[in-house]
Amino acid sequence: MPHDYILALDQGTTSSRAILFNYEGHVVDVAQKEFKQHFPENGWVEHDANEIWRTQEEVTLTLLQKHSLGADQIVAIGITNQRETTVLWDRATGEPIHNAIVWQDRRTANVCDQLKKDGHETSFQQNTGLRLDPYFSGTKIQWLLNNLPNARSRAEKGELAFGTMDTWLLWKLTNGRTHATDVTNASRTLLFNIHNGEWDDALLEILNIPKSLLPEVHPSSHHFAECTLQGLEKVPIAGIAGDQQAALFGQTCFDPSKAKNTYGTGCFLLRPAGDHPIISQHNLLTTLACTTNETLQYAIEGSVFTGGAVIQWLRDELGFIKNAAESEALATSVENTGGAYLVPAFTGLGAPHWDPYARGTLCGITRGTSAAHITRAALESIAFQSMDLLEAINADFKNTISELRVDGGAANNNFLMQFQANLMQVPVVRPKVTETTALGAAYLAGLATGFWSDQETLANNWVVDQVFEPSIHKDAADEQIARWRQALEKAKSWATD
Ligand code: ADP
């Protein structure tokens, strides 16, 4: 099938991308366009859903025109997206009633606090696998219904639709004919019961959200609809997954022996749990992984707020480097950090610590501490934080992984990857194709349409770029981890606001 392609739409937090994949799972070409970030108040983040659609449409058409491709050569379309970001629109006109509220938005923090005080936390955690946090869609929907004129009465009459970005794009790609999502996106709303795979009536009642707003939920690999966009008419839209679950699938981590970590602005570590949910006892999230049939699949997820972003800080605020890649040469120009530890808790600490009051802390500096030492400590901090996630994940599973598969911008840093392998005492493996998020969406769409026959074929497509084997003894790793934990304690509970 050399002339047939799968088109992946990767709707990210800062840009919309369209990526063409061939049968070998290689990237043929990418088109990308950024869109505007809106910050209407402190802690609020919004996107214009119409702009998201326009940029997504534009990059798609650009890619098709550049390669003179039509509907005949595109076997299927897969969608992957920034998760949790919430939009409500008018079913009759397809017009959003407000900007989309982005996952980073904290405006419902007080609502979550109140829900906790009212004793609802356990019920949300047991049924959705999530924590009560403004991050997730549920309280964002509630905010829109409570704060926009007539929104609630219109929702109750069935005039409005809710969607995360996959659902919104699917609606636009089908000219309003299809209102659906997949299990991975549904599992990030605080409204979806991860045990029975249905919207949870009791939780909807607590949040006072009418069920008529909600999309149908299907497996991630599923014939959702036929596209109506000009140039792609009748092409099946056959794969949908939230970005982190799509990356897990793209890395072909299909069983609990392998986990994946994405080293982007933050870090996201996911480990598949199979078809029985593990509700975390170690402050992690239980989430639904990609599915190819009606059987639900689970994963445990932990995230680090400041990952690669600490390298941007070295570049933009401290001026130590001109670009992120330079951090590697600078860090390896010294033999160690000279005893320095950097805890980049710039916006608090995520899993498994969950301390919003923690702040960035630099410990152990001396008169001899240089930019190189601090840069090395910064890279090490990304690995230490990921190690904390893995340790919590392993505690939930009661065993460890046999390898960690990596992707994201900072996974290109060989020093960081080697240090990570040393700390975790497992091989860290970087694949040749690091566009794993888009690849995951492509795989889901390709499986549903028979382009790829089964998951084994996908696993065979996965090709190693480099393996980083642990090169220090476990005792030496544990010593460094213990010292890191001391530094962590100093960073915790610092902010007073
Ligand atoms: P996102 O999808 O979150 O925007 P990317 O996967 O594009 O992130 O990765 C970008 C992040 O990775 C930035 O924070 C950048 O500082 C970091 N980064 C990129 N390349 C390197 C590198 N070679 N070494 C260390 N950090 C890097």
Side-chain angles (χ1 to χ4, degrees), residues 14 262-266 268 307-313 315 323-328 379 382 407-414 416:
T14 56
T262 299
Y263 297 82
T265 309
F268 289 89
V310 70
I311 305 303
Q312 290 170 323
W313 175 70
R315 184 194 63 190
N323 58 59
E326 277 181 16
S327 63
E328 183 168 348
L379 286 169
I382 302 173
D407 51 56
N412 292 312
N413 190 305
N414 291 335
L416 170 60

PDB file of all heavy atoms in Angstrom, residues 14 262-266 268 307-313 315 323-328 379 382 407-414 416, ligand 1:
ATOM      1  N   THR A  14      -0.776  24.730  22.043  1.00  0.00           N
ATOM      2  CA  THR A  14      -0.327  25.981  21.425  1.00  0.00           C
ATOM      3  C   THR A  14      -0.453  25.977  19.909  1.00  0.00           C
ATOM      4  O   THR A  14      -0.370  27.018  19.279  1.00  0.00           O
ATOM      5  CB  THR A  14       1.144  26.278  21.792  1.00  0.00           C
ATOM      6  OG1 THR A  14       1.939  25.158  21.391  1.00  0.00           O
ATOM      7  CG2 THR A  14       1.312  26.505  23.284  1.00  0.00           C
ATOM      8  N   THR A 262       6.845  11.245  28.527  1.00  0.00           N
ATOM      9  CA  THR A 262       6.994  12.313  27.545  1.00  0.00           C
ATOM     10  C   THR A 262       7.671  13.495  28.228  1.00  0.00           C
ATOM     11  O   THR A 262       7.173  13.989  29.240  1.00  0.00           O
ATOM     12  CB  THR A 262       5.610  12.713  26.983  1.00  0.00           C
ATOM     13  OG1 THR A 262       5.043  11.571  26.350  1.00  0.00           O
ATOM     14  CG2 THR A 262       5.725  13.851  25.980  1.00  0.00           C
ATOM     15  N   TYR A 263       8.797  13.925  27.669  1.00  0.00           N
ATOM     16  CA  TYR A 263       9.575  15.029  28.242  1.00  0.00           C
ATOM     17  C   TYR A 263       9.317  16.291  27.427  1.00  0.00           C
ATOM     18  O   TYR A 263      10.066  16.609  26.516  1.00  0.00           O
ATOM     19  CB  TYR A 263      11.064  14.695  28.231  1.00  0.00           C
ATOM     20  CG  TYR A 263      11.451  13.500  29.079  1.00  0.00           C
ATOM     21  CD1 TYR A 263      11.301  12.206  28.598  1.00  0.00           C
ATOM     22  CD2 TYR A 263      11.965  13.674  30.350  1.00  0.00           C
ATOM     23  CE1 TYR A 263      11.657  11.111  29.366  1.00  0.00           C
ATOM     24  CE2 TYR A 263      12.323  12.588  31.138  1.00  0.00           C
ATOM     25  CZ  TYR A 263      12.159  11.309  30.641  1.00  0.00           C
ATOM     26  OH  TYR A 263      12.507  10.221  31.401  1.00  0.00           O
ATOM     27  N   GLY A 264       8.218  16.950  27.701  1.00  0.00           N
ATOM     28  CA  GLY A 264       7.917  18.223  27.038  1.00  0.00           C
ATOM     29  C   GLY A 264       8.054  19.347  28.047  1.00  0.00           C
ATOM     30  O   GLY A 264       8.936  19.300  28.917  1.00  0.00           O
ATOM     31  N   THR A 265       7.182  20.339  27.952  1.00  0.00           N
ATOM     32  CA  THR A 265       7.154  21.428  28.930  1.00  0.00           C
ATOM     33  C   THR A 265       7.052  20.833  30.331  1.00  0.00           C
ATOM     34  O   THR A 265       7.781  21.192  31.240  1.00  0.00           O
ATOM     35  CB  THR A 265       5.920  22.315  28.658  1.00  0.00           C
ATOM     36  OG1 THR A 265       5.934  22.653  27.277  1.00  0.00           O
ATOM     37  CG2 THR A 265       5.931  23.550  29.507  1.00  0.00           C
ATOM     38  N   GLY A 266       6.099  19.905  30.485  1.00  0.00           N
ATOM     39  CA  GLY A 266       6.009  19.070  31.694  1.00  0.00           C
ATOM     40  C   GLY A 266       6.373  17.651  31.300  1.00  0.00           C
ATOM     41  O   GLY A 266       6.761  17.399  30.157  1.00  0.00           O
ATOM     42  N   PHE A 268       4.921  13.549  31.382  1.00  0.00           N
ATOM     43  CA  PHE A 268       3.754  12.691  31.602  1.00  0.00           C
ATOM     44  C   PHE A 268       4.176  11.241  31.514  1.00  0.00           C
ATOM     45  O   PHE A 268       4.605  10.798  30.451  1.00  0.00           O
ATOM     46  CB  PHE A 268       2.671  12.966  30.557  1.00  0.00           C
ATOM     47  CG  PHE A 268       1.985  14.293  30.746  1.00  0.00           C
ATOM     48  CD1 PHE A 268       2.502  15.429  30.149  1.00  0.00           C
ATOM     49  CD2 PHE A 268       0.851  14.407  31.530  1.00  0.00           C
ATOM     50  CE1 PHE A 268       1.887  16.663  30.326  1.00  0.00           C
ATOM     51  CE2 PHE A 268       0.229  15.625  31.709  1.00  0.00           C
ATOM     52  CZ  PHE A 268       0.751  16.750  31.111  1.00  0.00           C
ATOM     53  N   GLY A 307       9.008  20.359  33.555  1.00  0.00           N
ATOM     54  CA  GLY A 307       9.986  19.410  33.020  1.00  0.00           C
ATOM     55  C   GLY A 307      10.960  20.184  32.139  1.00  0.00           C
ATOM     56  O   GLY A 307      11.810  20.936  32.631  1.00  0.00           O
ATOM     57  N   GLY A 308      10.789  20.064  30.811  1.00  0.00           N
ATOM     58  CA  GLY A 308      11.641  20.807  29.868  1.00  0.00           C
ATOM     59  C   GLY A 308      11.573  22.315  30.099  1.00  0.00           C
ATOM     60  O   GLY A 308      12.488  23.050  29.715  1.00  0.00           O
ATOM     61  N   ALA A 309      10.518  22.771  30.747  1.00  0.00           N
ATOM     62  CA  ALA A 309      10.370  24.212  30.996  1.00  0.00           C
ATOM     63  C   ALA A 309      11.512  24.769  31.848  1.00  0.00           C
ATOM     64  O   ALA A 309      11.835  25.954  31.765  1.00  0.00           O
ATOM     65  CB  ALA A 309       9.037  24.488  31.672  1.00  0.00           C
ATOM     66  N   VAL A 310      12.146  23.917  32.655  1.00  0.00           N
ATOM     67  CA  VAL A 310      13.268  24.407  33.466  1.00  0.00           C
ATOM     68  C   VAL A 310      14.440  24.781  32.544  1.00  0.00           C
ATOM     69  O   VAL A 310      15.221  25.698  32.855  1.00  0.00           O
ATOM     70  CB  VAL A 310      13.680  23.362  34.546  1.00  0.00           C
ATOM     71  CG1 VAL A 310      14.334  22.124  33.951  1.00  0.00           C
ATOM     72  CG2 VAL A 310      14.612  23.994  35.576  1.00  0.00           C
ATOM     73  N   ILE A 311      14.515  24.131  31.401  1.00  0.00           N
ATOM     74  CA  ILE A 311      15.578  24.451  30.439  1.00  0.00           C
ATOM     75  C   ILE A 311      15.261  25.773  29.723  1.00  0.00           C
ATOM     76  O   ILE A 311      16.152  26.574  29.436  1.00  0.00           O
ATOM     77  CB  ILE A 311      15.769  23.275  29.435  1.00  0.00           C
ATOM     78  CG1 ILE A 311      16.041  21.967  30.207  1.00  0.00           C
ATOM     79  CG2 ILE A 311      16.870  23.563  28.426  1.00  0.00           C
ATOM     80  CD1 ILE A 311      17.245  22.025  31.154  1.00  0.00           C
ATOM     81  N   GLN A 312      13.974  26.010  29.498  1.00  0.00           N
ATOM     82  CA  GLN A 312      13.582  27.315  28.936  1.00  0.00           C
ATOM     83  C   GLN A 312      13.937  28.438  29.909  1.00  0.00           C
ATOM     84  O   GLN A 312      14.338  29.521  29.500  1.00  0.00           O
ATOM     85  CB  GLN A 312      12.073  27.340  28.666  1.00  0.00           C
ATOM     86  CG  GLN A 312      11.677  26.441  27.509  1.00  0.00           C
ATOM     87  CD  GLN A 312      10.168  26.292  27.414  1.00  0.00           C
ATOM     88  OE1 GLN A 312       9.468  26.223  28.423  1.00  0.00           O
ATOM     89  NE2 GLN A 312       9.660  26.234  26.199  1.00  0.00           N
ATOM     90  N   TRP A 313      13.779  28.148  31.182  1.00  0.00           N
ATOM     91  CA  TRP A 313      14.110  29.142  32.218  1.00  0.00           C
ATOM     92  C   TRP A 313      15.604  29.468  32.178  1.00  0.00           C
ATOM     93  O   TRP A 313      16.015  30.623  32.247  1.00  0.00           O
ATOM     94  CB  TRP A 313      13.681  28.585  33.577  1.00  0.00           C
ATOM     95  CG  TRP A 313      14.037  29.405  34.772  1.00  0.00           C
ATOM     96  CD1 TRP A 313      13.496  30.600  35.128  1.00  0.00           C
ATOM     97  CD2 TRP A 313      14.999  29.067  35.781  1.00  0.00           C
ATOM     98  NE1 TRP A 313      14.065  31.032  36.305  1.00  0.00           N
ATOM     99  CE2 TRP A 313      14.989  30.115  36.721  1.00  0.00           C
ATOM    100  CE3 TRP A 313      15.859  27.996  35.974  1.00  0.00           C
ATOM    101  CZ2 TRP A 313      15.820  30.110  37.843  1.00  0.00           C
ATOM    102  CZ3 TRP A 313      16.673  27.990  37.093  1.00  0.00           C
ATOM    103  CH2 TRP A 313      16.654  29.034  38.011  1.00  0.00           C
ATOM    104  N   ARG A 315      17.446  29.310  29.654  1.00  0.00           N
ATOM    105  CA  ARG A 315      17.686  30.043  28.407  1.00  0.00           C
ATOM    106  C   ARG A 315      17.156  31.477  28.498  1.00  0.00           C
ATOM    107  O   ARG A 315      17.882  32.427  28.221  1.00  0.00           O
ATOM    108  CB  ARG A 315      16.972  29.298  27.264  1.00  0.00           C
ATOM    109  CG  ARG A 315      17.197  29.868  25.894  1.00  0.00           C
ATOM    110  CD  ARG A 315      16.196  29.287  24.909  1.00  0.00           C
ATOM    111  NE  ARG A 315      14.816  29.652  25.287  1.00  0.00           N
ATOM    112  CZ  ARG A 315      13.717  29.143  24.737  1.00  0.00           C
ATOM    113  NH1 ARG A 315      13.816  28.208  23.818  1.00  0.00           N
ATOM    114  NH2 ARG A 315      12.525  29.535  25.133  1.00  0.00           N
ATOM    115  N   ASN A 323      19.970  27.940  23.160  1.00  0.00           N
ATOM    116  CA  ASN A 323      18.854  27.059  22.830  1.00  0.00           C
ATOM    117  C   ASN A 323      18.909  25.828  23.734  1.00  0.00           C
ATOM    118  O   ASN A 323      19.939  25.541  24.363  1.00  0.00           O
ATOM    119  CB  ASN A 323      18.866  26.671  21.350  1.00  0.00           C
ATOM    120  CG  ASN A 323      20.157  25.992  20.965  1.00  0.00           C
ATOM    121  OD1 ASN A 323      20.506  24.950  21.531  1.00  0.00           O
ATOM    122  ND2 ASN A 323      20.889  26.564  20.024  1.00  0.00           N
ATOM    123  N   ALA A 324      17.780  25.111  23.787  1.00  0.00           N
ATOM    124  CA  ALA A 324      17.643  24.009  24.747  1.00  0.00           C
ATOM    125  C   ALA A 324      18.710  22.929  24.522  1.00  0.00           C
ATOM    126  O   ALA A 324      19.249  22.369  25.489  1.00  0.00           O
ATOM    127  CB  ALA A 324      16.247  23.405  24.639  1.00  0.00           C
ATOM    128  N   ALA A 325      19.031  22.665  23.267  1.00  0.00           N
ATOM    129  CA  ALA A 325      19.981  21.584  22.968  1.00  0.00           C
ATOM    130  C   ALA A 325      21.365  21.865  23.567  1.00  0.00           C
ATOM    131  O   ALA A 325      22.101  20.941  23.935  1.00  0.00           O
ATOM    132  CB  ALA A 325      20.085  21.376  21.466  1.00  0.00           C
ATOM    133  N   GLU A 326      21.722  23.150  23.679  1.00  0.00           N
ATOM    134  CA  GLU A 326      23.042  23.515  24.241  1.00  0.00           C
ATOM    135  C   GLU A 326      23.204  23.063  25.693  1.00  0.00           C
ATOM    136  O   GLU A 326      24.324  22.978  26.206  1.00  0.00           O
ATOM    137  CB  GLU A 326      23.228  25.038  24.212  1.00  0.00           C
ATOM    138  CG  GLU A 326      23.705  25.574  22.891  1.00  0.00           C
ATOM    139  CD  GLU A 326      23.892  27.088  22.950  1.00  0.00           C
ATOM    140  OE1 GLU A 326      23.942  27.664  24.062  1.00  0.00           O
ATOM    141  OE2 GLU A 326      23.993  27.687  21.878  1.00  0.00           O
ATOM    142  N   SER A 327      22.090  22.810  26.357  1.00  0.00           N
ATOM    143  CA  SER A 327      22.168  22.432  27.773  1.00  0.00           C
ATOM    144  C   SER A 327      23.006  21.162  27.949  1.00  0.00           C
ATOM    145  O   SER A 327      23.663  20.981  28.980  1.00  0.00           O
ATOM    146  CB  SER A 327      20.762  22.228  28.354  1.00  0.00           C
ATOM    147  OG  SER A 327      20.108  21.160  27.693  1.00  0.00           O
ATOM    148  N   GLU A 328      22.987  20.289  26.962  1.00  0.00           N
ATOM    149  CA  GLU A 328      23.706  19.018  27.100  1.00  0.00           C
ATOM    150  C   GLU A 328      25.222  19.238  27.171  1.00  0.00           C
ATOM    151  O   GLU A 328      25.893  18.719  28.077  1.00  0.00           O
ATOM    152  CB  GLU A 328      23.344  18.083  25.941  1.00  0.00           C
ATOM    153  CG  GLU A 328      24.010  16.736  26.088  1.00  0.00           C
ATOM    154  CD  GLU A 328      23.465  15.691  25.127  1.00  0.00           C
ATOM    155  OE1 GLU A 328      22.422  15.910  24.489  1.00  0.00           O
ATOM    156  OE2 GLU A 328      24.112  14.638  25.027  1.00  0.00           O
ATOM    157  N   LEU A 379      18.883  19.686  34.480  1.00  0.00           N
ATOM    158  CA  LEU A 379      18.563  18.470  33.707  1.00  0.00           C
ATOM    159  C   LEU A 379      18.303  17.296  34.654  1.00  0.00           C
ATOM    160  O   LEU A 379      17.359  16.526  34.463  1.00  0.00           O
ATOM    161  CB  LEU A 379      19.703  18.133  32.743  1.00  0.00           C
ATOM    162  CG  LEU A 379      19.796  19.053  31.516  1.00  0.00           C
ATOM    163  CD1 LEU A 379      21.099  18.838  30.764  1.00  0.00           C
ATOM    164  CD2 LEU A 379      18.603  18.829  30.575  1.00  0.00           C
ATOM    165  N   ILE A 382      14.799  17.075  36.110  1.00  0.00           N
ATOM    166  CA  ILE A 382      13.737  16.503  35.258  1.00  0.00           C
ATOM    167  C   ILE A 382      13.696  14.984  35.504  1.00  0.00           C
ATOM    168  O   ILE A 382      12.627  14.385  35.641  1.00  0.00           O
ATOM    169  CB  ILE A 382      13.999  16.816  33.770  1.00  0.00           C
ATOM    170  CG1 ILE A 382      14.082  18.330  33.543  1.00  0.00           C
ATOM    171  CG2 ILE A 382      12.928  16.188  32.890  1.00  0.00           C
ATOM    172  CD1 ILE A 382      14.506  18.738  32.122  1.00  0.00           C
ATOM    173  N   ASP A 407       9.761  10.060  24.770  1.00  0.00           N
ATOM    174  CA  ASP A 407       9.536  10.958  23.638  1.00  0.00           C
ATOM    175  C   ASP A 407       9.439  12.376  24.168  1.00  0.00           C
ATOM    176  O   ASP A 407       9.644  12.610  25.352  1.00  0.00           O
ATOM    177  CB  ASP A 407       8.268  10.534  22.857  1.00  0.00           C
ATOM    178  CG  ASP A 407       7.057  10.351  23.763  1.00  0.00           C
ATOM    179  OD1 ASP A 407       6.717  11.300  24.480  1.00  0.00           O
ATOM    180  OD2 ASP A 407       6.464   9.258  23.771  1.00  0.00           O
ATOM    181  N   GLY A 408       9.122  13.339  23.294  1.00  0.00           N
ATOM    182  CA  GLY A 408       9.064  14.750  23.691  1.00  0.00           C
ATOM    183  C   GLY A 408      10.421  15.419  23.470  1.00  0.00           C
ATOM    184  O   GLY A 408      11.456  14.739  23.371  1.00  0.00           O
ATOM    185  N   GLY A 409      10.409  16.753  23.401  1.00  0.00           N
ATOM    186  CA  GLY A 409      11.604  17.519  23.033  1.00  0.00           C
ATOM    187  C   GLY A 409      12.840  17.182  23.843  1.00  0.00           C
ATOM    188  O   GLY A 409      13.936  16.976  23.292  1.00  0.00           O
ATOM    189  N   ALA A 410      12.709  17.093  25.180  1.00  0.00           N
ATOM    190  CA  ALA A 410      13.888  16.909  26.023  1.00  0.00           C
ATOM    191  C   ALA A 410      14.402  15.465  26.001  1.00  0.00           C
ATOM    192  O   ALA A 410      15.501  15.194  26.504  1.00  0.00           O
ATOM    193  CB  ALA A 410      13.593  17.362  27.454  1.00  0.00           C
ATOM    194  N   ALA A 411      13.635  14.547  25.386  1.00  0.00           N
ATOM    195  CA  ALA A 411      14.132  13.161  25.254  1.00  0.00           C
ATOM    196  C   ALA A 411      15.294  13.097  24.265  1.00  0.00           C
ATOM    197  O   ALA A 411      15.986  12.079  24.176  1.00  0.00           O
ATOM    198  CB  ALA A 411      13.007  12.228  24.816  1.00  0.00           C
ATOM    199  N   ASN A 412      15.521  14.193  23.541  1.00  0.00           N
ATOM    200  CA  ASN A 412      16.683  14.238  22.632  1.00  0.00           C
ATOM    201  C   ASN A 412      17.988  14.476  23.374  1.00  0.00           C
ATOM    202  O   ASN A 412      19.065  14.418  22.780  1.00  0.00           O
ATOM    203  CB  ASN A 412      16.492  15.357  21.592  1.00  0.00           C
ATOM    204  CG  ASN A 412      15.369  15.016  20.651  1.00  0.00           C
ATOM    205  OD1 ASN A 412      15.301  13.901  20.127  1.00  0.00           O
ATOM    206  ND2 ASN A 412      14.442  15.952  20.474  1.00  0.00           N
ATOM    207  N   ASN A 413      17.893  14.796  24.658  1.00  0.00           N
ATOM    208  CA  ASN A 413      19.088  15.093  25.441  1.00  0.00           C
ATOM    209  C   ASN A 413      19.686  13.786  25.983  1.00  0.00           C
ATOM    210  O   ASN A 413      19.129  13.158  26.885  1.00  0.00           O
ATOM    211  CB  ASN A 413      18.694  16.040  26.584  1.00  0.00           C
ATOM    212  CG  ASN A 413      19.901  16.598  27.296  1.00  0.00           C
ATOM    213  OD1 ASN A 413      20.747  15.845  27.758  1.00  0.00           O
ATOM    214  ND2 ASN A 413      19.967  17.916  27.385  1.00  0.00           N
ATOM    215  N   ASN A 414      20.825  13.383  25.432  1.00  0.00           N
ATOM    216  CA  ASN A 414      21.414  12.078  25.795  1.00  0.00           C
ATOM    217  C   ASN A 414      21.878  12.046  27.248  1.00  0.00           C
ATOM    218  O   ASN A 414      21.786  11.014  27.902  1.00  0.00           O
ATOM    219  CB  ASN A 414      22.593  11.751  24.882  1.00  0.00           C
ATOM    220  CG  ASN A 414      22.122  11.477  23.465  1.00  0.00           C
ATOM    221  OD1 ASN A 414      20.977  11.082  23.250  1.00  0.00           O
ATOM    222  ND2 ASN A 414      22.986  11.698  22.498  1.00  0.00           N
ATOM    223  N   LEU A 416      20.511  13.607  29.764  1.00  0.00           N
ATOM    224  CA  LEU A 416      19.305  13.432  30.578  1.00  0.00           C
ATOM    225  C   LEU A 416      18.819  11.980  30.520  1.00  0.00           C
ATOM    226  O   LEU A 416      18.455  11.391  31.553  1.00  0.00           O
ATOM    227  CB  LEU A 416      18.217  14.398  30.089  1.00  0.00           C
ATOM    228  CG  LEU A 416      16.809  14.216  30.657  1.00  0.00           C
ATOM    229  CD1 LEU A 416      16.794  14.363  32.167  1.00  0.00           C
ATOM    230  CD2 LEU A 416      15.847  15.246  30.040  1.00  0.00           C
TER     231      LEU A 416
HETATM  232  P1  ADP B   1       5.563  20.676  24.373  1.00  0.00           P
HETATM  233  O1  ADP B   1       4.868  19.669  23.504  1.00  0.00           O
HETATM  234  O2  ADP B   1       5.196  20.622  25.810  1.00  0.00           O
HETATM  235  O3  ADP B   1       5.565  22.065  23.809  1.00  0.00           O
HETATM  236  P2  ADP B   1       8.075  19.571  23.314  1.00  0.00           P
HETATM  237  O4  ADP B   1       7.922  18.099  23.279  1.00  0.00           O
HETATM  238  O5  ADP B   1       8.053  20.316  22.028  1.00  0.00           O
HETATM  239  O6  ADP B   1       7.102  20.224  24.393  1.00  0.00           O
HETATM  240  O7  ADP B   1       9.467  19.852  24.057  1.00  0.00           O
HETATM  241  C1  ADP B   1       9.875  21.155  24.331  1.00  0.00           C
HETATM  242  C2  ADP B   1      10.503  21.229  25.711  1.00  0.00           C
HETATM  243  O8  ADP B   1      11.652  20.397  25.745  1.00  0.00           O
HETATM  244  C3  ADP B   1      10.966  22.624  26.050  1.00  0.00           C
HETATM  245  O9  ADP B   1      10.598  22.895  27.385  1.00  0.00           O
HETATM  246  C4  ADP B   1      12.481  22.595  25.901  1.00  0.00           C
HETATM  247  O10 ADP B   1      13.111  23.401  26.866  1.00  0.00           O
HETATM  248  C5  ADP B   1      12.810  21.136  26.108  1.00  0.00           C
HETATM  249  N1  ADP B   1      13.900  20.666  25.252  1.00  0.00           N
HETATM  250  C6  ADP B   1      13.909  20.575  23.905  1.00  0.00           C
HETATM  251  N2  ADP B   1      15.078  20.071  23.458  1.00  0.00           N
HETATM  252  C7  ADP B   1      15.835  19.843  24.550  1.00  0.00           C
HETATM  253  C8  ADP B   1      17.149  19.313  24.773  1.00  0.00           C
HETATM  254  N3  ADP B   1      17.922  18.909  23.745  1.00  0.00           N
HETATM  255  N4  ADP B   1      17.585  19.222  26.045  1.00  0.00           N
HETATM  256  C9  ADP B   1      16.804  19.595  27.090  1.00  0.00           C
HETATM  257  N5  ADP B   1      15.568  20.093  26.944  1.00  0.00           N
HETATM  258  C10 ADP B   1      15.084  20.216  25.698  1.00  0.00           C
END
